[in-house]
Amino acid sequence: MTMNELYKAAHAVINDAKTIVILQADNPDGDSLASALALETILGDMGKTPIMVCGIDMPAHLRYLSGWDRVEKEVPQKFDASIIVDTSTLSLFESLDKNGQMGWIKSKPVIVLDHHVTSDGIDYAKVSIVEAAVSTGEVIYALAKQENLPLSVEAMNFIAVSIMSDSLGLTSDGTTVRAIRTIADVVEAGVSLSNLDAARRELMKREPELLPYKGSLLQRIELHDQGRIATIMIPWVEIEKYSSIYNPSMLAIDDMRMTIGVQICIAFKVYNNGRVTAKIRCNPGGQIADKLAAHFGGGGHPYAAGFKVLKCDDFATLKRQTIQKATELLKEQA
């Protein structure tokens, strides 16, 4: 099917449904939450009943987005269709899958809206729109424009957040001409980028106790492959203590990215049940995050991706394998 045909097929599913679940994966970020909020607004303006769902609590750093508190942690028992945003990788729905709720999603028509073109896909989706775009918000805007879906200033506000979040303020190599045109459109329609950034900066203010903790994290950063790969490991005791006020990975990963010579940053979280997650961020010249994540069963795009291992008996081996694969991918890209 052509992209226009996929847009029409998605519109048909939406038209036939009344109550629609908007589903984010277990690793929500600015793109996934803003995309969900944009869809909630669009569907609401169409007279639908949208219900946003994510299997985990919204991270504190995303709570500057008005409406984050409407995201529920469980799939409702009665709904007509679902729209999965910002992922097409089933392994990222562990929280909902372990209690059978993804079976409920599977039983009704599913639309996938995503921009991670290297993911495995969701085989039971009725309509999958996976475009090479900088963010899912860009995909939603294209769908809405093509199918004449209502685009209020509120909806465009969230689309702008989505694009600015995943494009690093329109500076990443993945930023498309269409994304820039979309931002121009929404600003012309009344969206204030300065107001959005002011709200984001206000919420980025941190509790005093995070200052010494960040210092300890920075001291533990390790460099590999002649300084091209930076890693940090966050143990369960720190995850448990600090995650409620800030994501420990994000305290360190920006400083890792700003280090001269570093092309790939990997933040590992090691949980008390043997689960390990890895957040991957890349600088221009080392954009292999999607390939590295895919090797370990995860997904993402070239500059930002992640993976999880549900049962890891030997973290040191996993870390060594990750660094080795990252080194190989960098050599292949050179």
Side-chain angles (χ1 to χ4, degrees):
M1 296 175 71
T2 67
M3 195 57 64
N4 284 346
E5 290 171 336
L6 288 172
Y7 290 156
K8 291 185 184 302
H11 192 181
V13 172
I14 291 170
N15 276 340
D16 289 342
K18 174 59 179 176
T19 301
I20 302 175
V21 171
I22 303 168
L23 192 61
Q24 298 177 70
D26 285 354
N27 57 342
D29 60 10
D31 182 17
S32 69
L33 177 57
S35 294
L37 288 163
L39 275 176
E40 181 196 42
T41 305
I42 291 169
L43 295 175
D45 289 343
M46 293 175 68
K48 309 296 180 180
T49 302
I51 300 174
M52 297 182 291
V53 175
C54 181
I56 69 168
D57 293 326
M58 281 296 111
H61 68 277
L62 296 179
R63 296 182 183 182
Y64 74 96
L65 287 174
S66 177
W68 70 266
D69 52 343
R70 292 194 296 274
V71 180
E72 301 182 10
K73 291 182 67 175
E74 294 187 356
V75 176
Q77 292 188 0
K78 294 183 179 181
F79 64 96
D80 304 307
S82 65
I83 303 176
I84 295 174
V85 295
D86 199 34
T87 188
S88 45
T89 302
L90 280 174
S91 63
L92 297 180
F93 292 99
E94 178 190 357
S95 296
L96 295 175
D97 200 28
K98 66 183 179 183
N99 56 16
Q101 293 187 53
M102 287 306 291
W104 303 353
I105 293 294
K106 185 177 180 179
S107 69
K108 304 290 178 64
V110 176
I111 299 170
V112 172
L113 300 178
D114 190 21
H115 68 116
H116 301 115
V117 295
T118 59
S119 65
D120 295 333
I122 296 177
D123 56 7
Y124 56 76
K126 186 167 185 179
V127 182
S128 287
I129 300 177
V130 183
E131 296 189 63
V134 77
S135 73
T136 304
E138 183 183 341
V139 177
I140 291 171
Y141 185 79
L143 167 63
K145 292 293 286 185
Q146 176 66 31
E147 294 301 307
N148 294 314
L149 306 184
L151 277 169
S152 65
V153 173
E154 182 183 10
M156 289 190 285
N157 192 72
F158 292 128
I159 287 169
V161 173
S162 164
I163 293 174
M164 298 298 283
S165 174
D166 259 22
S167 69
L168 304 178
L170 300 180
T171 62
S172 73
D173 282 355
T175 302
T176 64
V177 171
R178 187 175 71 173
I180 296 170
R181 287 176 178 152
T182 299
I183 291 295
D185 287 348
V186 301
V187 169
E188 187 175 41
V191 171
S192 171
L193 298 183
S194 61
N195 287 347
L196 292 178
D197 191 59
R200 179 185 64 85
R201 289 179 181 275
E202 181 65 26
L203 201 78
M204 285 179 66
K205 293 180 179 178
R206 299 165 184 166
E207 298 292 335
E209 65 186 286
L210 290 175
L211 289 177
Y213 174 54
K214 178 174 180 175
S216 70
L217 281 176
L218 297 182
Q219 291 180 38
R220 301 206 311 261
I221 291 172
E222 297 179 328
L223 299 178
H224 318 269
D225 190 29
Q226 299 179 323
R228 295 195 298 172
I229 302 170
T231 65
I232 183 73
M233 187 278 281
I234 300 163
W236 168 245
V237 64
E238 295 174 11
I239 297 170
E240 188 177 36
K241 182 176 181 179
Y242 295 107
S243 290
S244 63
I245 56 176
Y246 210 85
N247 183 346
S249 298
M250 298 310 296
L251 281 174
I253 211 160
D254 283 341
D255 289 271
M256 294 160 71
R257 287 183 59 246
M258 294 298 292
T259 303
I260 293 173
V262 169
Q263 293 180 299
I264 305 171
C265 308
I266 309 168
F268 295 99
K269 286 184 179 179
V270 180
Y271 293 77
N272 63 342
N273 59 359
R275 183 165 65 108
V276 176
T277 64
K279 184 184 293 291
I280 307 166
R281 295 294 184 268
C282 295
N283 283 324
Q287 56 269 30
I288 51 88
D290 54 341
K291 295 177 182 177
L292 179 59
H295 180 77
F296 294 94
H301 53 78
Y303 289 92
F307 67 85
K308 67 176 66 175
V309 176
L310 298 181
K311 190 64 177 177
C312 177
D313 297 322
D314 185 353
F315 171 70
T317 297
L318 175 63
K319 175 183 170 183
R320 184 172 63 252
Q321 292 172 342
T322 306
I323 294 168
Q324 180 180 352
K325 186 62 180 179
T327 302
E328 292 173 0
L329 290 169
L330 284 176
K331 288 179 180 179
E332 292 174 4
Q333 186 171 269

